[in-house]
C-alpha cells in the first residue's frame, strides 16, 4: 500500500515520473499505474490501490480532464476526502472540482524548487496517516 496514489493521463507519463521521484525523495511511498504487474486486471488493481492510499494526487492537464479514468479516480478521491489536485496547465476543470483548491504548477519544469511544492507537501502530509510516530514523508 502506498501513501500517495497518482491519477493522471497516460500522455503525461514523463511528467508524472518526475513528480513521483520528487515525492519518493521526500519519503512518501507512491503508486501509479506503471506498478501494475503483467497479467493483473488493471481495473481491480487500481480500485484496490485507490482505496488503500492515504492521498490521491490528481494531475490536471488538458489531457487528463478528458480522461474518464482520471475523472472517476478524482471523484472517488473527492468523495473519500483524499484528493490533492495539482494544475500543470491552465484547464477548464470538471464542474465538481472547480471549488477544490489546487496547487498551481503551470509551466512546471520538473524542478524541486517550485514554490507550490511546499504547499503540495503540506497538503499531502495532512492526508497521510501517522506511521511510526511521524507524519507523512514531507516532514522527514
Amino acid at each position: 500500500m502506498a501513501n500517495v496514489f497518482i491519477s493522471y493521463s497516460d500522455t503525461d507519463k514523463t511528467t508524472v515520473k518526475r513528480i513521483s521521484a520528487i515525492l519518493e525523495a521526500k519519503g512518501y511511498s507512491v503508486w501509479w499505474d506503471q506498478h501494475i504487474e503483467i497479467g493483473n486486471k488493471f481495473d481491480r488493481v487500481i480500485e484496490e490501490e485507490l482505496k488503500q492510499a492515504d492521498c490521491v494526487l490528481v494531475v490536471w492537464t488538458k489531457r487528463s480532464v478528458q480522461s474518464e479514468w482520471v475523472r472517476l479516480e478524482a471523484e472517488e478521491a473527492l468523495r473519500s476526502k483524499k484528493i490533492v489536485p495539482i494544475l500543470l496547465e491552465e484547464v477548464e476543470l470538471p464542474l465538481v472540482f472547480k471549488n477544490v483548491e489546487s496547487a498551481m504548477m503551470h509551466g512546471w519544469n520538473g524542478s524541486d524548487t517550485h514554490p507550490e511544492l511546499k504547499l503540495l507537501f503540506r497538503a499531502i502530509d495532512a492526508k497521510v496517516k501517522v506511521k511510526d510516530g511521524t507524519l507523512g514523508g514531507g516532514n522527514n
Side-chain angles (χ1 to χ4, degrees), residues 58 60 65 70-79 83 85 87 92-102:
V58 180
W60 291 120
V65 296
V70 173
R71 291 171 82 132
L72 287 170
E73 291 165 355
E75 286 175 17
E76 178 60 24
L78 182 63
R79 185 193 64 71
I83 194 168
L87 289 163
E92 182 74 24
L93 291 176
L95 183 62
V96 70
F97 303 107
K98 288 185 178 187
N99 68 347
V100 178
E101 189 66 30
S102 300

Side-chain angles (χ1 to χ4, degrees), residues 101-128:
E101 189 66 30
S102 300
M104 305 301 279
M105 296 180 60
H106 300 175
W108 180 63
N109 64 3
S111 160
D112 62 358
T113 61
H114 192 288
E116 290 284 304
L117 281 175
K118 186 174 184 178
L119 299 173
L120 178 64
F121 297 144
R122 191 177 316 149
I124 292 171
D125 275 344
K127 304 283 185 200
V128 172

Side-chain angles (χ1 to χ4, degrees), residues 23-40:
L23 292 174
E24 288 173 344
K26 294 295 274 182
Y28 299 106
S29 60
V30 178
W31 189 92
W32 52 308
D33 65 2
Q34 298 302 299
H35 298 289
I36 298 175
E37 295 179 9
I38 293 173
N40 287 333

Side-chain angles (χ1 to χ4, degrees), residues 25-91:
K26 294 295 274 182
Y28 299 106
S29 60
V30 178
W31 189 92
W32 52 308
D33 65 2
Q34 298 302 299
H35 298 289
I36 298 175
E37 295 179 9
I38 293 173
N40 287 333
K41 294 187 176 209
F42 71 89
D43 59 332
R44 291 185 182 174
V45 173
I46 288 171
E47 188 173 355
E48 186 60 29
E49 292 293 337
L50 187 61
K51 185 186 306 181
Q52 296 298 320
D54 298 315
C55 169
V56 178
L57 181 65
V58 180
V59 180
W60 291 120
T61 64
K62 292 173 185 161
R63 292 144 314 275
S64 68
V65 296
Q66 301 301 317
S67 167
E68 195 63 34
W69 273 104
V70 173
R71 291 171 82 132
L72 287 170
E73 291 165 355
E75 286 175 17
E76 178 60 24
L78 182 63
R79 185 193 64 71
S80 61
K81 298 181 172 86
K82 296 179 181 184
I83 194 168
V84 175
I86 64 173
L87 289 163
L88 291 182
E89 301 170 347
E90 194 165 324
V91 296

